[in-house]
Amino acid sequence: VQLQASGGGLVQAGASRRLSCLASGRPINRYAMGWFRQVPGKEREFVAASHRGGDTTNYADFVKGRFTIPIDNSKNAVYLQMNSLKPEDTAVYYCVADRYYYVGENPDYWGQGTLVTVSS
C-alpha cells in the first residue's frame, strides 16, 4: 500500500487542522492505520491509531481529548483531526499502515511526512 499525506502548514495555537492520508494499492480496511510525528532532533513518536477494521482507536496521552483519527473507507483515506493545537505539536506528521491488527512500534508502511507548525 502507498500512503500520501497532506494538510500540513502553519497554524496558530488553539486552532484546528486536519491532516489527510490517501492510500493506494490496497484497501485500508486490511490494515491498522495510524499517525506518528517527529520533531527535528528527536525520535519519532506515536500519535494515534485505529485497529484494523476501525473498531478500536488509541491515542498518545499528549493528544487525548484533542486529536481524533477518522477513517473513510469509501475514499481509502485516514485523517488526523487536530484540535486545540499547541506549539509543542509542531512536528512532521507521518501516516502509517500496519499489516497486523494494531499499529506497532515499527509499522510496515510509511507515507512521506507533512509539516505542521503551530505558532504561539
Side-chain angles (χ1 to χ4, degrees):
V1 64
Q2 293 79 46
L3 305 172
Q4 180 74 35
S6 62
L10 177 64
V11 296
Q12 290 189 333
S16 297
R17 192 82 170 189
R18 188 177 80 160
L19 304 182
S20 299
C21 176
L22 299 182
S24 60
R26 301 195 76 178
I28 60 172
N29 60 14
R30 296 188 179 188
Y31 301 93
M33 303 298 298
W35 293 88
F36 280 64
R37 72 185 188 185
Q38 186 172 23
V39 176
K42 296 187 178 180
E43 293 186 355
R44 286 176 180 170
E45 58 184 1
F46 168 78
V47 177
S50 177
H51 290 191
R52 190 173 64 205
D55 58 334
T56 303
T57 56
N58 57 296
Y59 299 91
D61 287 343
F62 52 79
V63 303
K64 280 182 180 177
R66 300 189 298 125
F67 290 13
T68 59
I69 182 170
I71 288 180
D72 188 339
N73 287 311
S74 68
K75 296 181 179 179
N76 220 34
V78 60
Y79 306 93
L80 185 67
Q81 178 64 45
M82 306 183 293
N83 301 323
S84 302
L85 282 162
K86 305 175 181 180
E88 52 263 43
D89 293 319
T90 296
V92 177
Y93 286 75
Y94 297 89
C95 175
V96 301
D98 206 309
R99 291 173 295 171
Y100 298 100
Y101 176 67
Y102 56 87
V103 173
E105 295 182 354
N106 295 294
D108 298 302
Y109 305 97
W110 293 74
Q112 94 291 357
T114 185
L115 174 64
V116 175
T117 303
V118 184
S119 64
S120 58

